Amino acid sequence: YPKEGSNLCCKKCQPGYRLKEHCSENKETVCEPCKPNTYLESWNYAHNCLPCKKCNPRKNLKEIRTCTSTQNAVCVCKENTFCTMGYNAPECASCQPYRACGPGHGVSVQGKVCCSHCLNAHPALRCL
């Protein structure tokens, strides 16, 4: 990367490392590893590593990939829940449990909490 205010071209830090010191005419770039619970996924000259994502069980999330120094955690919905916020397949930021429809009603839209009366059913309606 071009060092600002000079005509030097410095080496970037590898994934999992952050910039500690810019290069100079006499030395190469100095990088140091990201601290625990932080990461950087790509070659960089960032001064700070990014904080790892936490998969909050109160938001019905579970972790399917643990955060390492080179990749963030991946959170998905727990079983019998659906994504209500921040969906980016397969990731999600918050999930809600499926709602059971009462007798004589069925789920009208898969993955939603909508229940419809079975007398007005269309072929896709799942009635109890």
Side-chain angles (χ1 to χ4, degrees):
Y1 66 95
K3 183 179 176 191
E4 196 172 310
S6 74
N7 59 354
L8 293 173
C9 188
C10 298
K11 290 184 178 178
K12 289 183 177 182
C13 298
Q14 68 185 35
Y17 286 76
R18 70 170 194 90
L19 178 68
K20 184 175 180 182
E21 293 177 42
H22 291 283
C23 71
S24 68
E25 291 180 14
N26 303 325
K27 65 177 180 152
E28 288 290 339
T29 302
V30 178
C31 302
E32 69 179 6
C34 290
K35 292 182 177 165
N37 299 312
T38 65
Y39 75 99
L40 283 170
E41 293 183 335
S42 57
W43 287 84
N44 70 87
Y45 51 98
H47 289 283
N48 297 303
C49 297
L50 301 171
C52 290
K53 185 186 307 180
K54 304 280 189 224
C55 301
N56 188 340
R58 285 178 288 159
K59 293 184 177 183
N60 293 305
L61 295 171
K62 68 177 182 178
E63 185 178 272
I64 61 166
R65 184 176 79 192
T66 302
C67 186
T68 67
S69 64
T70 60
Q71 65 182 8
N72 202 0
V74 174
C75 304
V76 297
C77 292
K78 289 180 178 180
E79 291 75 23
N80 298 315
T81 67
F82 65 97
C83 189
T84 56
M85 187 170 68
Y87 184 70
N88 184 12
E91 297 184 65
C92 188
S94 184
C95 307
Q96 283 187 355
Y98 286 110
R99 186 172 112 197
C101 296
H105 291 77
V107 176
S108 59
V109 180
Q110 187 64 27
K112 303 287 183 186
V113 291
C114 308
C115 293
S116 294
H117 196 273
C118 288
L119 294 178
N120 301 327
H122 53 78
L125 185 64
R126 294 184 344 185
C127 290
L128 302 173

Short mmCIF file of all heavy atoms in Angstrom, two decimals, residues 41-108:
data_model
loop_
_atom_site.label_atom_id
_atom_site.label_comp_id
_atom_site.label_asym_id
_atom_site.label_seq_id
_atom_site.Cartn_x
_atom_site.Cartn_y
_atom_site.Cartn_z
N GLU A 41 -10.14 -10.60 8.10
CA GLU A 41 -10.27 -11.65 7.10
C GLU A 41 -9.35 -11.50 5.89
O GLU A 41 -9.12 -12.47 5.19
CB GLU A 41 -11.72 -11.73 6.61
CG GLU A 41 -12.67 -12.21 7.69
CD GLU A 41 -14.09 -12.37 7.22
OE1 GLU A 41 -14.49 -11.71 6.25
OE2 GLU A 41 -14.82 -13.17 7.83
N SER A 42 -8.86 -10.31 5.61
CA SER A 42 -8.10 -10.12 4.38
C SER A 42 -6.77 -9.39 4.65
O SER A 42 -6.53 -8.89 5.74
CB SER A 42 -8.94 -9.33 3.37
OG SER A 42 -9.33 -8.11 3.93
N TRP A 43 -5.93 -9.35 3.63
CA TRP A 43 -4.69 -8.59 3.70
C TRP A 43 -5.06 -7.13 3.96
O TRP A 43 -6.01 -6.62 3.36
CB TRP A 43 -3.88 -8.75 2.42
CG TRP A 43 -3.26 -10.11 2.32
CD1 TRP A 43 -3.85 -11.25 1.85
CD2 TRP A 43 -1.95 -10.48 2.73
NE1 TRP A 43 -2.99 -12.31 1.95
CE2 TRP A 43 -1.80 -11.86 2.48
CE3 TRP A 43 -0.87 -9.78 3.28
CZ2 TRP A 43 -0.62 -12.55 2.76
CZ3 TRP A 43 0.30 -10.47 3.55
CH2 TRP A 43 0.41 -11.84 3.30
N ASN A 44 -4.33 -6.46 4.85
CA ASN A 44 -4.80 -5.15 5.31
C ASN A 44 -3.66 -4.29 5.83
O ASN A 44 -2.53 -4.76 5.99
CB ASN A 44 -5.82 -5.37 6.43
CG ASN A 44 -5.18 -5.90 7.67
OD1 ASN A 44 -4.69 -5.15 8.51
ND2 ASN A 44 -5.13 -7.24 7.81
N TYR A 45 -4.01 -3.04 6.12
CA TYR A 45 -3.13 -2.15 6.90
C TYR A 45 -3.99 -1.42 7.93
O TYR A 45 -3.85 -0.26 8.23
CB TYR A 45 -2.31 -1.19 6.02
CG TYR A 45 -3.08 -0.40 5.00
CD1 TYR A 45 -3.47 0.92 5.25
CD2 TYR A 45 -3.39 -0.95 3.76
CE1 TYR A 45 -4.16 1.65 4.30
CE2 TYR A 45 -4.08 -0.22 2.81
CZ TYR A 45 -4.45 1.08 3.09
OH TYR A 45 -5.14 1.80 2.15
N ALA A 46 -4.90 -2.22 8.54
CA ALA A 46 -5.82 -1.70 9.56
C ALA A 46 -5.10 -1.63 10.91
O ALA A 46 -4.33 -2.52 11.26
CB ALA A 46 -7.04 -2.62 9.68
N HIS A 47 -5.39 -0.58 11.65
CA HIS A 47 -4.80 -0.43 12.98
C HIS A 47 -5.49 -1.30 14.03
O HIS A 47 -4.90 -1.61 15.05
CB HIS A 47 -4.85 1.05 13.43
CG HIS A 47 -3.92 1.92 12.66
ND1 HIS A 47 -2.57 1.96 12.90
CD2 HIS A 47 -4.15 2.78 11.65
CE1 HIS A 47 -2.00 2.82 12.07
NE2 HIS A 47 -2.94 3.32 11.30
N ASN A 48 -6.75 -1.68 13.77
CA ASN A 48 -7.52 -2.46 14.74
C ASN A 48 -8.16 -3.66 14.08
O ASN A 48 -8.64 -3.57 12.95
CB ASN A 48 -8.61 -1.61 15.38
CG ASN A 48 -8.05 -0.46 16.18
OD1 ASN A 48 -7.27 -0.66 17.09
ND2 ASN A 48 -8.42 0.76 15.82
N CYS A 49 -8.18 -4.76 14.81
CA CYS A 49 -8.92 -5.94 14.36
C CYS A 49 -10.40 -5.73 14.70
O CYS A 49 -10.73 -4.91 15.56
CB CYS A 49 -8.39 -7.18 15.07
SG CYS A 49 -6.66 -7.53 14.68
N LEU A 50 -11.27 -6.45 14.02
CA LEU A 50 -12.71 -6.32 14.23
C LEU A 50 -13.18 -7.25 15.35
O LEU A 50 -12.67 -8.37 15.48
CB LEU A 50 -13.45 -6.66 12.94
CG LEU A 50 -13.09 -5.79 11.74
CD1 LEU A 50 -13.70 -6.36 10.46
CD2 LEU A 50 -13.53 -4.36 11.96
N PRO A 51 -14.19 -6.83 16.13
CA PRO A 51 -14.70 -7.70 17.19
C PRO A 51 -15.49 -8.87 16.59
O PRO A 51 -16.20 -8.72 15.61
CB PRO A 51 -15.61 -6.79 18.01
CG PRO A 51 -15.98 -5.68 17.09
CD PRO A 51 -14.83 -5.52 16.12
N CYS A 52 -15.34 -10.03 17.21
CA CYS A 52 -16.07 -11.23 16.76
C CYS A 52 -17.56 -11.09 17.08
O CYS A 52 -17.93 -10.54 18.10
CB CYS A 52 -15.53 -12.47 17.46
SG CYS A 52 -13.88 -12.93 16.94
N LYS A 53 -18.37 -11.63 16.19
CA LYS A 53 -19.82 -11.67 16.38
C LYS A 53 -20.15 -12.68 17.48
O LYS A 53 -19.53 -13.73 17.58
CB LYS A 53 -20.46 -12.12 15.07
CG LYS A 53 -21.96 -12.12 15.05
CD LYS A 53 -22.50 -12.72 13.76
CE LYS A 53 -21.92 -12.07 12.54
NZ LYS A 53 -22.43 -12.63 11.29
N LYS A 54 -21.14 -12.34 18.30
CA LYS A 54 -21.63 -13.24 19.34
C LYS A 54 -23.01 -13.75 18.92
O LYS A 54 -23.86 -12.97 18.52
CB LYS A 54 -21.77 -12.50 20.68
CG LYS A 54 -20.50 -11.83 21.15
CD LYS A 54 -19.57 -12.82 21.79
CE LYS A 54 -18.41 -12.10 22.43
NZ LYS A 54 -17.15 -12.71 22.18
N CYS A 55 -23.22 -15.03 19.00
CA CYS A 55 -24.50 -15.64 18.64
C CYS A 55 -25.35 -15.72 19.90
O CYS A 55 -25.20 -16.64 20.71
CB CYS A 55 -24.29 -17.01 18.03
SG CYS A 55 -23.27 -16.98 16.54
N ASN A 56 -26.24 -14.75 20.08
CA ASN A 56 -27.01 -14.60 21.30
C ASN A 56 -28.15 -15.63 21.35
O ASN A 56 -29.09 -15.57 20.55
CB ASN A 56 -27.59 -13.19 21.37
CG ASN A 56 -28.25 -12.87 22.67
OD1 ASN A 56 -28.65 -13.75 23.42
ND2 ASN A 56 -28.40 -11.59 22.95
N PRO A 57 -28.10 -16.57 22.32
CA PRO A 57 -29.18 -17.56 22.41
C PRO A 57 -30.54 -16.94 22.73
O PRO A 57 -31.57 -17.50 22.40
CB PRO A 57 -28.72 -18.50 23.52
CG PRO A 57 -27.60 -17.82 24.22
CD PRO A 57 -27.07 -16.76 23.31
N ARG A 58 -30.57 -15.75 23.37
CA ARG A 58 -31.85 -15.08 23.64
C ARG A 58 -32.51 -14.59 22.36
O ARG A 58 -33.69 -14.29 22.34
CB ARG A 58 -31.65 -13.92 24.62
CG ARG A 58 -31.43 -14.43 26.06
CD ARG A 58 -31.18 -13.30 27.01
NE ARG A 58 -29.84 -12.80 26.69
CZ ARG A 58 -29.37 -11.62 27.00
NH1 ARG A 58 -30.11 -10.76 27.64
NH2 ARG A 58 -28.14 -11.27 26.68
N LYS A 59 -31.73 -14.49 21.28
CA LYS A 59 -32.29 -14.15 19.97
C LYS A 59 -32.47 -15.41 19.13
O LYS A 59 -32.61 -15.35 17.92
CB LYS A 59 -31.37 -13.16 19.25
CG LYS A 59 -31.33 -11.81 19.93
CD LYS A 59 -30.50 -10.83 19.14
CE LYS A 59 -30.53 -9.46 19.81
NZ LYS A 59 -29.79 -8.47 19.04
N ASN A 60 -32.47 -16.57 19.80
CA ASN A 60 -32.67 -17.89 19.17
C ASN A 60 -31.61 -18.21 18.13
O ASN A 60 -31.89 -18.83 17.11
CB ASN A 60 -34.08 -18.00 18.57
CG ASN A 60 -35.14 -18.00 19.64
OD1 ASN A 60 -35.09 -18.82 20.55
ND2 ASN A 60 -36.08 -17.08 19.56
N LEU A 61 -30.36 -17.78 18.39
CA LEU A 61 -29.26 -18.03 17.47
C LEU A 61 -28.34 -19.12 18.00
O LEU A 61 -28.20 -19.30 19.21
CB LEU A 61 -28.45 -16.75 17.27
CG LEU A 61 -29.18 -15.60 16.60
CD1 LEU A 61 -28.34 -14.33 16.68
CD2 LEU A 61 -29.51 -15.94 15.16
N LYS A 62 -27.71 -19.81 17.07
CA LYS A 62 -26.66 -20.77 17.42
C LYS A 62 -25.49 -20.55 16.46
O LYS A 62 -25.66 -20.08 15.34
CB LYS A 62 -27.16 -22.21 17.35
CG LYS A 62 -27.50 -22.70 15.95
CD LYS A 62 -27.93 -24.15 15.98
CE LYS A 62 -28.21 -24.64 14.56
NZ LYS A 62 -28.58 -26.06 14.55
N GLU A 63 -24.31 -20.90 16.94
CA GLU A 63 -23.09 -20.69 16.16
C GLU A 63 -22.81 -21.93 15.33
O GLU A 63 -22.82 -23.04 15.85
CB GLU A 63 -21.95 -20.43 17.14
CG GLU A 63 -20.64 -20.08 16.51
CD GLU A 63 -19.58 -19.79 17.55
OE1 GLU A 63 -19.47 -18.63 17.98
OE2 GLU A 63 -18.89 -20.75 17.96
N ILE A 64 -22.56 -21.73 14.02
CA ILE A 64 -22.17 -22.87 13.18
C ILE A 64 -20.72 -22.75 12.73
O ILE A 64 -20.17 -23.68 12.17
CB ILE A 64 -23.10 -23.07 11.96
CG1 ILE A 64 -23.10 -21.86 11.04
CG2 ILE A 64 -24.50 -23.46 12.41
CD1 ILE A 64 -23.71 -22.12 9.67
N ARG A 65 -20.12 -21.58 12.95
CA ARG A 65 -18.69 -21.40 12.70
C ARG A 65 -18.14 -20.50 13.79
O ARG A 65 -18.64 -19.41 14.01
CB ARG A 65 -18.42 -20.79 11.32
CG ARG A 65 -16.93 -20.69 11.01
CD ARG A 65 -16.67 -20.19 9.62
NE ARG A 65 -16.84 -18.74 9.59
CZ ARG A 65 -16.90 -18.03 8.48
NH1 ARG A 65 -16.84 -18.61 7.30
NH2 ARG A 65 -17.04 -16.72 8.52
N THR A 66 -17.10 -20.97 14.47
CA THR A 66 -16.47 -20.21 15.54
C THR A 66 -15.58 -19.13 14.96
O THR A 66 -14.94 -19.33 13.94
CB THR A 66 -15.63 -21.17 16.42
OG1 THR A 66 -16.48 -22.19 16.91
CG2 THR A 66 -14.99 -20.44 17.58
N CYS A 67 -15.52 -18.00 15.65
CA CYS A 67 -14.65 -16.92 15.23
C CYS A 67 -13.19 -17.32 15.47
O CYS A 67 -12.86 -17.90 16.50
CB CYS A 67 -14.97 -15.64 16.02
SG CYS A 67 -14.08 -14.19 15.46
N THR A 68 -12.35 -17.03 14.49
CA THR A 68 -10.90 -17.22 14.62
C THR A 68 -10.25 -15.88 14.28
O THR A 68 -10.95 -14.91 13.95
CB THR A 68 -10.38 -18.29 13.65
OG1 THR A 68 -10.52 -17.82 12.31
CG2 THR A 68 -11.12 -19.61 13.83
N SER A 69 -8.96 -15.81 14.33
CA SER A 69 -8.27 -14.56 14.01
C SER A 69 -8.45 -14.16 12.54
O SER A 69 -8.26 -13.00 12.18
CB SER A 69 -6.79 -14.65 14.34
OG SER A 69 -6.16 -15.63 13.54
N THR A 70 -8.85 -15.11 11.68
CA THR A 70 -9.00 -14.82 10.25
C THR A 70 -10.43 -14.89 9.72
O THR A 70 -10.66 -14.64 8.54
CB THR A 70 -8.14 -15.80 9.41
OG1 THR A 70 -8.57 -17.14 9.68
CG2 THR A 70 -6.66 -15.65 9.73
N GLN A 71 -11.41 -15.23 10.56
CA GLN A 71 -12.81 -15.26 10.10
C GLN A 71 -13.77 -15.03 11.25
O GLN A 71 -13.52 -15.45 12.37
CB GLN A 71 -13.14 -16.58 9.40
CG GLN A 71 -13.06 -17.79 10.29
CD GLN A 71 -13.34 -19.08 9.54
OE1 GLN A 71 -13.45 -19.09 8.33
NE2 GLN A 71 -13.48 -20.17 10.27
N ASN A 72 -14.86 -14.35 10.95
CA ASN A 72 -15.88 -14.06 11.94
C ASN A 72 -16.75 -15.30 12.20
O ASN A 72 -16.79 -16.21 11.37
CB ASN A 72 -16.76 -12.90 11.46
CG ASN A 72 -17.48 -12.20 12.59
OD1 ASN A 72 -17.36 -12.54 13.76
ND2 ASN A 72 -18.25 -11.19 12.24
N ALA A 73 -17.43 -15.31 13.32
CA ALA A 73 -18.38 -16.38 13.63
C ALA A 73 -19.57 -16.28 12.67
O ALA A 73 -19.84 -15.22 12.11
CB ALA A 73 -18.87 -16.26 15.07
N VAL A 74 -20.28 -17.39 12.50
CA VAL A 74 -21.50 -17.42 11.70
C VAL A 74 -22.63 -17.89 12.60
O VAL A 74 -22.54 -18.96 13.21
CB VAL A 74 -21.37 -18.34 10.47
CG1 VAL A 74 -22.70 -18.48 9.74
CG2 VAL A 74 -20.29 -17.82 9.53
N CYS A 75 -23.69 -17.06 12.68
CA CYS A 75 -24.85 -17.36 13.50
C CYS A 75 -26.04 -17.72 12.61
O CYS A 75 -26.29 -17.03 11.61
CB CYS A 75 -25.23 -16.15 14.35
SG CYS A 75 -23.91 -15.53 15.40
N VAL A 76 -26.76 -18.77 12.99
CA VAL A 76 -27.96 -19.19 12.28
C VAL A 76 -29.08 -19.42 13.30
O VAL A 76 -28.83 -19.47 14.50
CB VAL A 76 -27.73 -20.48 11.45
CG1 VAL A 76 -26.68 -20.25 10.37
CG2 VAL A 76 -27.35 -21.65 12.34
N CYS A 77 -30.29 -19.59 12.80
CA CYS A 77 -31.44 -19.83 13.68
C CYS A 77 -31.37 -21.21 14.30
O CYS A 77 -30.96 -22.18 13.65
CB CYS A 77 -32.74 -19.72 12.88
SG CYS A 77 -33.10 -18.06 12.31
N LYS A 78 -31.80 -21.29 15.57
CA LYS A 78 -31.95 -22.58 16.23
C LYS A 78 -33.08 -23.35 15.55
O LYS A 78 -33.89 -22.76 14.83
CB LYS A 78 -32.30 -22.39 17.71
CG LYS A 78 -31.17 -21.85 18.55
CD LYS A 78 -31.63 -21.71 20.00
CE LYS A 78 -30.54 -21.22 20.89
NZ LYS A 78 -30.98 -21.09 22.29
N GLU A 79 -33.16 -24.64 15.83
CA GLU A 79 -34.22 -25.48 15.26
C GLU A 79 -35.59 -24.92 15.67
O GLU A 79 -35.74 -24.39 16.76
CB GLU A 79 -34.08 -26.92 15.75
CG GLU A 79 -32.88 -27.65 15.18
CD GLU A 79 -31.55 -27.23 15.81
OE1 GLU A 79 -31.54 -26.71 16.95
OE2 GLU A 79 -30.52 -27.39 15.14
N ASN A 80 -36.56 -25.07 14.79
CA ASN A 80 -37.95 -24.65 14.99
C ASN A 80 -38.10 -23.14 15.16
O ASN A 80 -39.03 -22.67 15.82
CB ASN A 80 -38.58 -25.39 16.18
CG ASN A 80 -38.63 -26.88 15.93
OD1 ASN A 80 -39.01 -27.31 14.85
ND2 ASN A 80 -38.23 -27.66 16.91
N THR A 81 -37.19 -22.38 14.58
CA THR A 81 -37.29 -20.92 14.55
C THR A 81 -37.03 -20.45 13.13
O THR A 81 -36.53 -21.21 12.29
CB THR A 81 -36.29 -20.25 15.52
OG1 THR A 81 -34.96 -20.47 15.05
CG2 THR A 81 -36.45 -20.75 16.94
N PHE A 82 -37.38 -19.18 12.84
CA PHE A 82 -37.13 -18.61 11.52
C PHE A 82 -36.52 -17.23 11.68
O PHE A 82 -36.68 -16.57 12.71
CB PHE A 82 -38.41 -18.56 10.68
CG PHE A 82 -39.47 -17.66 11.23
CD1 PHE A 82 -39.61 -16.36 10.76
CD2 PHE A 82 -40.34 -18.10 12.21
CE1 PHE A 82 -40.58 -15.53 11.26
CE2 PHE A 82 -41.32 -17.27 12.73
CZ PHE A 82 -41.44 -15.98 12.25
N CYS A 83 -35.80 -16.79 10.67
CA CYS A 83 -35.07 -15.52 10.71
C CYS A 83 -36.04 -14.34 10.59
O CYS A 83 -36.89 -14.30 9.70
CB CYS A 83 -34.05 -15.47 9.58
SG CYS A 83 -32.94 -14.07 9.71
N THR A 84 -35.88 -13.37 11.49
CA THR A 84 -36.73 -12.17 11.47
C THR A 84 -35.93 -10.90 11.22
O THR A 84 -36.51 -9.85 10.99
CB THR A 84 -37.48 -12.01 12.80
OG1 THR A 84 -36.54 -11.98 13.87
CG2 THR A 84 -38.48 -13.13 13.01
N MET A 85 -34.59 -10.99 11.28
CA MET A 85 -33.78 -9.80 11.09
C MET A 85 -32.38 -10.18 10.61
O MET A 85 -31.77 -11.11 11.11
CB MET A 85 -33.67 -9.02 12.41
CG MET A 85 -32.98 -7.68 12.27
SD MET A 85 -33.12 -6.67 13.76
CE MET A 85 -32.11 -7.59 14.89
N GLY A 86 -31.87 -9.45 9.62
CA GLY A 86 -30.50 -9.60 9.17
C GLY A 86 -30.20 -10.87 8.41
O GLY A 86 -29.11 -11.41 8.52
N TYR A 87 -31.15 -11.34 7.60
CA TYR A 87 -30.92 -12.59 6.86
C TYR A 87 -29.94 -12.37 5.72
O TYR A 87 -30.10 -11.48 4.91
CB TYR A 87 -32.23 -13.16 6.31
CG TYR A 87 -32.04 -14.48 5.62
CD1 TYR A 87 -31.72 -15.61 6.36
CD2 TYR A 87 -32.17 -14.60 4.25
CE1 TYR A 87 -31.54 -16.83 5.74
CE2 TYR A 87 -31.99 -15.82 3.62
CZ TYR A 87 -31.68 -16.93 4.37
OH TYR A 87 -31.49 -18.14 3.75
N ASN A 88 -28.89 -13.19 5.70
CA ASN A 88 -27.90 -13.20 4.63
C ASN A 88 -27.44 -14.65 4.53
O ASN A 88 -26.47 -15.04 5.17
CB ASN A 88 -26.74 -12.26 4.94
CG ASN A 88 -25.75 -12.16 3.82
OD1 ASN A 88 -26.01 -12.61 2.70
ND2 ASN A 88 -24.60 -11.59 4.09
N ALA A 89 -28.19 -15.47 3.78
CA ALA A 89 -28.05 -16.93 3.74
C ALA A 89 -26.63 -17.41 4.00
O ALA A 89 -25.73 -16.97 3.32
CB ALA A 89 -28.54 -17.45 2.40
N PRO A 90 -26.41 -18.31 4.95
CA PRO A 90 -27.39 -18.86 5.89
C PRO A 90 -27.48 -18.05 7.19
O PRO A 90 -28.17 -18.43 8.12
CB PRO A 90 -26.82 -20.24 6.19
CG PRO A 90 -25.34 -20.01 6.21
CD PRO A 90 -25.12 -18.96 5.11
N GLU A 91 -26.76 -16.92 7.26
CA GLU A 91 -26.67 -16.16 8.51
C GLU A 91 -27.94 -15.40 8.84
O GLU A 91 -28.73 -15.07 7.97
CB GLU A 91 -25.52 -15.16 8.43
CG GLU A 91 -24.17 -15.82 8.28
CD GLU A 91 -23.05 -14.82 8.31
OE1 GLU A 91 -22.86 -14.17 9.36
OE2 GLU A 91 -22.38 -14.67 7.28
N CYS A 92 -28.09 -15.11 10.15
CA CYS A 92 -29.23 -14.35 10.64
C CYS A 92 -28.81 -13.60 11.90
O CYS A 92 -27.89 -14.03 12.61
CB CYS A 92 -30.40 -15.30 10.95
SG CYS A 92 -31.91 -14.42 11.35
N ALA A 93 -29.48 -12.47 12.18
CA ALA A 93 -29.17 -11.67 13.37
C ALA A 93 -30.17 -11.89 14.51
O ALA A 93 -29.85 -11.66 15.66
CB ALA A 93 -29.12 -10.19 13.01
N SER A 94 -31.39 -12.32 14.18
CA SER A 94 -32.40 -12.58 15.20
C SER A 94 -33.46 -13.52 14.63
O SER A 94 -33.82 -13.41 13.46
CB SER A 94 -33.05 -11.27 15.63
OG SER A 94 -33.96 -11.48 16.68
N CYS A 95 -33.94 -14.44 15.46
CA CYS A 95 -34.92 -15.44 15.03
C CYS A 95 -36.08 -15.52 16.01
O CYS A 95 -35.94 -15.14 17.17
CB CYS A 95 -34.26 -16.82 14.94
SG CYS A 95 -32.76 -16.85 13.95
N GLN A 96 -37.22 -16.01 15.53
CA GLN A 96 -38.39 -16.22 16.38
C GLN A 96 -38.88 -17.65 16.21
O GLN A 96 -38.75 -18.23 15.13
CB GLN A 96 -39.54 -15.29 15.98
CG GLN A 96 -39.38 -13.88 16.43
CD GLN A 96 -40.65 -13.07 16.14
OE1 GLN A 96 -41.59 -13.56 15.53
NE2 GLN A 96 -40.65 -11.85 16.59
N PRO A 97 -39.47 -18.21 17.26
CA PRO A 97 -40.02 -19.56 17.14
C PRO A 97 -41.22 -19.57 16.19
O PRO A 97 -41.95 -18.58 16.09
CB PRO A 97 -40.48 -19.91 18.55
CG PRO A 97 -39.96 -18.85 19.44
CD PRO A 97 -39.60 -17.67 18.59
N TYR A 98 -41.39 -20.69 15.48
CA TYR A 98 -42.61 -20.87 14.70
C TYR A 98 -43.79 -20.89 15.66
O TYR A 98 -43.68 -21.38 16.78
CB TYR A 98 -42.57 -22.19 13.92
CG TYR A 98 -41.66 -22.18 12.73
CD1 TYR A 98 -40.48 -22.91 12.74
CD2 TYR A 98 -41.98 -21.45 11.59
CE1 TYR A 98 -39.64 -22.91 11.64
CE2 TYR A 98 -41.14 -21.44 10.49
CZ TYR A 98 -39.98 -22.18 10.51
OH TYR A 98 -39.14 -22.17 9.44
N ARG A 99 -44.89 -20.33 15.23
CA ARG A 99 -46.10 -20.33 16.05
C ARG A 99 -46.98 -21.49 15.61
O ARG A 99 -47.22 -21.67 14.42
CB ARG A 99 -46.84 -19.02 15.86
CG ARG A 99 -48.04 -18.86 16.77
CD ARG A 99 -48.59 -17.47 16.66
NE ARG A 99 -49.90 -17.57 16.03
CZ ARG A 99 -50.54 -16.56 15.48
NH1 ARG A 99 -49.97 -15.37 15.42
NH2 ARG A 99 -51.72 -16.71 14.95
N ALA A 100 -47.44 -22.26 16.56
CA ALA A 100 -48.35 -23.35 16.24
C ALA A 100 -49.74 -22.77 15.99
O ALA A 100 -50.22 -21.95 16.77
CB ALA A 100 -48.39 -24.35 17.38
N CYS A 101 -50.33 -23.17 14.91
CA CYS A 101 -51.69 -22.72 14.60
C CYS A 101 -52.69 -23.63 15.34
O CYS A 101 -52.44 -24.81 15.52
CB CYS A 101 -51.95 -22.79 13.10
SG CYS A 101 -50.89 -21.68 12.15
N GLY A 102 -53.78 -23.04 15.75
CA GLY A 102 -54.80 -23.79 16.47
C GLY A 102 -55.55 -24.76 15.58
O GLY A 102 -55.42 -24.72 14.36
N PRO A 103 -56.39 -25.63 16.18
CA PRO A 103 -57.19 -26.57 15.39
C PRO A 103 -58.05 -25.84 14.37
O PRO A 103 -58.62 -24.79 14.66
CB PRO A 103 -58.05 -27.26 16.45
CG PRO A 103 -57.32 -27.08 17.74
CD PRO A 103 -56.62 -25.76 17.61
N GLY A 104 -58.09 -26.37 13.17
CA GLY A 104 -58.88 -25.77 12.10
C GLY A 104 -58.16 -24.66 11.36
O GLY A 104 -58.71 -24.03 10.47
N HIS A 105 -56.90 -24.40 11.73
CA HIS A 105 -56.09 -23.37 11.08
C HIS A 105 -54.77 -23.98 10.62
O HIS A 105 -54.33 -25.00 11.15
CB HIS A 105 -55.81 -22.21 12.04
CG HIS A 105 -57.02 -21.41 12.36
ND1 HIS A 105 -57.98 -21.84 13.23
CD2 HIS A 105 -57.43 -20.20 11.90
CE1 HIS A 105 -58.95 -20.94 13.31
NE2 HIS A 105 -58.63 -19.93 12.50
N GLY A 106 -54.15 -23.36 9.65
CA GLY A 106 -52.87 -23.85 9.13
C GLY A 106 -51.97 -22.69 8.75
O GLY A 106 -52.40 -21.55 8.64
N VAL A 107 -50.70 -23.00 8.54
CA VAL A 107 -49.72 -21.99 8.15
C VAL A 107 -49.99 -21.58 6.71
O VAL A 107 -49.98 -22.41 5.81
CB VAL A 107 -48.28 -22.54 8.30
CG1 VAL A 107 -47.26 -21.51 7.82
CG2 VAL A 107 -48.00 -22.93 9.73
N SER A 108 -50.25 -20.29 6.49
CA SER A 108 -50.58 -19.82 5.15
C SER A 108 -49.34 -19.42 4.36
O SER A 108 -49.35 -19.46 3.14
CB SER A 108 -51.57 -18.67 5.21
OG SER A 108 -51.03 -17.60 5.95
#
